[in-house]
Amino acid sequence: MVEPQIRVFNSLASDYDAWFEQEGRLIFASEVEALRPVLSLLPRPWIEVGVGSGRFAQALGIDIGLDPSSKLLEIARSRGINVFLGRGEEMPFQDGVFGTVFFVVTLCFVDSPRRTLSEAARLLKSGGKVVLGMVLRGSPWGQLYQAEKQRGHRFYSHAMFYSYGEVDVLLKQAGFSVEQVTSTLFQNPGEVNHTELPRQGFSADAGFTVILAGKTTV
């Protein structure tokens, strides 16, 4: 994440965090429900890269978080997360110290997704996993955010959205193989009125896609 993006997230940290309890409440709840089924498959210790204000980490039981925004990390720390300041492309950890690395709506904000995923592979033990929570470009939600990006949205103007195929290629380049996919958020933007139960497999109509991949490189 480049400096202008960091400044935006620092200056709007409280607004960003408040979204999860306001208009994003049901969206967040559905995304958490889509992530829960994979948790029992994941070796510890866990870290969330792009932990933000710690909402997902707290909900999922992730103890450690990394983020380049010091203001968001202050909020995450208040939620009991052990936080570290840093970027996904250059993580301040030794090789092979984690069992699972989470990226929940993070990959779209990093400068180099390939380098970030390669860093995740470096951090992981043998048999380690990576979990991605993605808003994919072709979904109704991805199309909405793309349009908001073009209009200069304060957060999405800094995002880059990817297709499922592009994410699959990035994972393979970094030494990962997809093991499981879960989809949710089939309600259209502006029409979310309940928390959804996730569906197994990839769906182009899903607003949020969870990808579990295993480390294939030694």
Side-chain angles (χ1 to χ4, degrees):
M1 189 179 291
V2 295
E3 284 301 322
Q5 294 170 253
I6 296 172
R7 286 197 296 271
V8 167
F9 279 97
N10 277 338
S11 64
L12 298 171
S14 296
D15 291 347
Y16 171 85
D17 185 61
W19 178 88
F20 290 89
E21 289 183 355
Q22 297 171 1
E23 64 265 34
R25 181 175 60 86
L26 293 175
I27 299 169
F28 172 62
S30 294
E31 292 171 346
V32 168
E33 287 303 310
L35 286 157
R36 287 194 195 282
V38 305
L39 298 183
S40 63
L41 307 174
L42 307 177
R44 286 187 179 268
W46 298 350
I47 181 172
E48 184 183 356
V49 176
V51 70
S53 60
R55 292 279 185 175
F56 283 101
Q58 183 183 49
L60 299 172
I62 304 169
D63 299 324
I64 303 170
L66 176 78
D67 202 278
S69 168
S70 58
K71 294 299 183 182
L72 285 175
L73 287 183
E74 289 176 8
I75 303 174
R77 186 182 293 112
S78 74
R79 295 197 162 98
I81 313 302
N82 183 15
V83 301
F84 294 86
L85 185 68
R87 301 167 67 247
E89 292 88 350
E90 299 175 272
M91 300 193 217
F93 304 103
Q94 296 179 348
D95 296 359
V97 293
F98 292 104
T100 303
V101 179
F102 290 79
F103 296 96
V104 185
V105 197
T106 296
L107 215 61
C108 59
F109 287 109
V110 302
D111 299 336
S112 173
R114 182 174 181 178
R115 184 173 174 184
T116 298
L117 289 171
S118 295
E119 271 287 272
R122 179 184 68 78
L123 263 57
L124 287 171
K125 303 174 183 179
S126 177
K129 309 290 185 184
V130 66
V131 177
L132 306 180
M134 305 284 299
V135 177
L136 297 173
R137 186 175 62 227
S139 72
W141 290 84
Q143 293 174 27
L144 169 67
Y145 295 158
Q146 283 275 115
E148 292 190 355
K149 171 186 172 77
Q150 297 303 318
R151 290 193 290 267
H153 187 278
R154 55 187 180 171
F155 295 126
Y156 300 128
S157 61
H158 300 283
M160 179 68 70
F161 297 96
Y162 302 95
S163 69
Y164 179 82
E166 288 169 340
V167 175
D168 186 46
V169 169
L170 286 167
L171 285 166
K172 288 175 180 174
Q173 290 173 338
F176 292 100
S177 177
V178 173
E179 297 178 354
Q180 184 172 315
V181 180
T182 307
S183 302
T184 194
L185 211 55
F186 291 91
Q187 298 168 89
N188 288 324
E191 299 176 2
V192 179
N193 57 27
H194 66 275
T195 301
E196 295 183 23
L197 294 177
R199 306 179 194 177
Q200 287 297 312
F202 167 71
S203 173
D205 296 324
F208 187 74
T209 303
V210 176
I211 304 170
L212 167 63
K215 182 178 176 180
T216 56
T217 54
V218 178

